Amino acid sequence: MNKIESRKDEHVQIALEKNVTSIHNYWDDVELPHNALPELNMYNIDISTKLFNKTLEAPIVIAAMTGGYDLAKEINERLGYAASNFQIAMGVGSQRAALENTQLRETYSVIKDFDIPIRIANIGASQIVLWGYKKSLRCIEDIISMIDAHALAICLNFLQEVVQPEGEPHAEGCFQQIQQLADAIDIPVIIKESGAGISYDVALRLSKTNIAGIDVGGKGGTSFAAIEHHRAKKHSDYLHARCSETFWNWGISTPQSIINAGKATNWKIPLIATGGIRHGLDVAKALSMGSRCAGIARVLLQHSTKSKQATVQEIETIIKEIRTSMFLMGINSIEKMKEVSYGFRKRDEGIQ
Ligand SMILES: Cc1cc2nc3c(=O)[nH]c(=O)nc-3n(C[C@H](O)[C@H](O)[C@H](O)COP(=O)(O)O)c2cc1C
């Protein structure tokens, strides 16, 4: 295995075996109103939604996680099967490894075999900064065709880049690259944070580009600083172990990021709420706050490393929980979820 392959492998193993979550799950601060007279039949609730003009049968995105080494192929295959089974969206992890080693392409392209309504390609933002515009465009065309993608996610993961021993914390010129690439790429471009969330100002800047969606990727679930902390400790790298521990809980929570991004964009750009989603009730909370879909990573990783059946069963359960939440509020469609008057206990988040 080369360096990137073993790093992706380590990330998955650590996410499965260690405590890698933020100290608090901020979905616990959101409350949904109970309706004792819902006046509807639970089986008539429509949980389908539209994202980028495609229909998803449930408002779920399997968030970007992996690819680039042997086990990743199996994980993506199981997730791809489940995404097709439930007609939900699915992202793959950063495809950089397959650009550097073509033998790894099928660990991502395996999801092409499934009829998934939205397949999302993925590349890190620091990568496009390093490559520059022309090379980025070439590489992005390649990763899009690798999985026959319907959308592309550019992943803002500067927290991870800065605490990771091999990190590449190059952010200068990133916004301009995003602007230019969003103009040039002919499928929807999603800007995706991966655990540190989105401020009002960042969303406002993004709203002036041609991006099609924001995955707010907020704090509250998997912390990449935590994952890198365990890695650095394992490799006896004191500097990075210490720094990543210090920034374990850095960022803006997912619910607060939705509010920030929604207000900054006048709710005109579809938002995906990823970060700390544990079950269908969290998905319902995310929808009530105005996001179009919820993204789920670690919970599905746990099931996808067990079996295809476990993955399917977990998503089935999450869907049942979404329906249950909607039934108990008397809401019969995803569109109407926006009208729910949720309660949000804002914790001390510092400056947004
Ligand atoms: C093992 C692992 C690998 C990940 N790799 C990527 C990646 O390559 N690209 C990306 O955009 N996000 C990546 N993520 C971040 C997830 O997409 C998601 O934003 C984050 O885990 C928060 O969601 P969660 O709390 O449901 O886990 C990864 C997450 C995990 C757990």
Side-chain angles (χ1 to χ4, degrees):
M1 268 201 283
N2 73 23
K3 274 188 186 162
I4 300 180
E5 290 165 50
S6 64
R7 187 159 80 223
K8 295 298 282 177
D9 189 7
E10 275 183 296
H11 286 157
V12 167
Q13 288 315 318
I14 290 169
L16 290 171
E17 290 163 13
K18 302 274 189 196
N19 167 23
V20 295
T21 51
S22 151
I23 197 165
H24 180 71
N25 189 306
Y26 294 83
W27 294 112
D28 288 337
D29 301 337
V30 182
E31 281 191 359
L32 296 180
H34 176 60
N35 181 348
L37 278 172
E39 297 287 343
L40 49 88
N41 179 339
M42 182 161 118
Y43 298 101
N44 291 340
I45 293 174
D46 179 8
I47 62 162
S48 68
T49 191
K50 287 248 178 209
L51 182 65
F52 311 140
N53 287 327
K54 306 264 182 202
T55 301
L56 303 181
E57 291 303 331
I60 299 173
V61 177
I62 299 177
M65 276 181 285
T66 200
Y69 70 102
D70 285 349
L71 176 65
K73 183 179 172 198
E74 210 174 346
I75 295 173
N76 278 336
E77 191 171 8
R78 289 171 181 170
L79 292 171
Y81 174 86
S84 151
N85 193 60
F86 294 102
Q87 289 292 291
I88 58 176
M90 173 179 175
V92 291
S94 164
Q95 290 165 262
R96 177 181 161 193
L99 292 170
E100 293 176 7
N101 177 355
T102 51
Q103 284 177 350
L104 300 173
R105 290 174 81 91
E106 61 169 10
T107 65
Y108 302 90
S109 65
V110 63
I111 74 164
K112 265 209 279 199
D113 297 343
F114 300 102
D115 168 30
I116 301 169
I118 305 181
R119 283 184 289 266
I120 308 170
N122 188 290
I123 198 70
S126 53
Q127 213 47 57
I128 61 170
V129 172
L130 279 171
W131 284 336
Y133 176 70
K134 277 195 181 153
K135 183 167 178 193
S136 294
L137 204 53
R138 258 199 334 269
C139 291
I140 285 170
E141 274 164 12
D142 195 1
I143 63 171
I144 288 173
S145 76
M146 197 186 298
I147 63 161
D148 200 5
H150 307 94
L152 165 80
I154 298 178
C155 174
L156 306 177
N157 61 343
F158 291 111
L159 168 59
Q160 183 189 6
E161 295 289 357
V162 79
V163 298
Q164 176 174 274
E166 318 80 346
E168 289 163 338
H170 309 293
E172 211 172 13
C174 186
F175 180 70
Q176 198 191 358
Q177 285 276 12
I178 289 172
Q179 266 179 320
Q180 291 180 334
L181 290 169
D183 285 343
I185 294 163
D186 56 8
I187 58 172
V189 173
I190 304 166
I191 297 302
K192 174 183 184 298
E193 238 296 347
S194 53
I198 296 283
S199 65
Y200 181 92
D201 289 346
V202 165
L204 191 63
R205 294 181 75 198
L206 291 173
S207 71
K208 294 175 180 150
T209 69
N210 270 334
I211 63 159
I214 301 177
D215 182 332
V216 300
K219 175 172 73 164
T222 305
S223 155
F224 250 96
I227 293 185
E228 293 301 345
H229 170 72
H230 293 297
R231 265 189 80 223
K233 236 170 101 174
K234 190 173 133 202
H235 297 289
S236 307
D237 176 343
Y238 172 78
L239 177 73
H240 291 96
R242 158 71 185 272
C243 189
S244 50
E245 190 173 27
T246 305
F247 288 88
W248 186 302
N249 292 296
W250 174 268
I252 303 165
S253 76
T254 315
Q256 185 62 51
S257 297
I258 295 168
I259 294 172
N260 295 343
K263 284 187 178 161
T265 61
N266 275 328
W267 303 98
K268 289 203 174 112
I269 298 181
L271 303 178
I272 301 169
T274 307
I277 301 279
R278 298 159 293 189
H279 40 56
L281 175 55
D282 287 343
V283 175
K285 288 177 178 180
L287 299 176
S288 77
M289 295 191 79
S291 58
R292 184 72 60 89
C293 294
I296 311 175
R298 204 176 61 91
V299 166
L300 294 178
L301 180 68
Q302 285 165 333
H303 290 84
S304 65
T305 47
K306 285 182 200 144
S307 66
K308 193 159 84 178
Q309 286 74 12
T311 315
V312 166
Q313 198 177 36
E314 179 60 19
I315 297 176
E316 197 172 18
T317 310
I318 291 170
I319 288 175
K320 164 95 175 154
E321 290 165 339
I322 297 171
R323 277 184 194 285
T324 305
S325 314
M326 292 172 70
F327 178 62
L328 293 175
M329 292 189 290
I331 302 283
N332 66 2
S333 74
I334 296 294
E335 187 56 27
K336 290 194 188 134
M337 283 296 281
K338 285 187 284 204
E339 294 160 21
V340 168
S341 45
Y342 65 88
F344 179 40
R345 183 159 39 96
K346 189 167 179 280
R347 296 165 66 96
D348 181 13
E349 286 280 299
I351 298 165
Q352 300 302 327

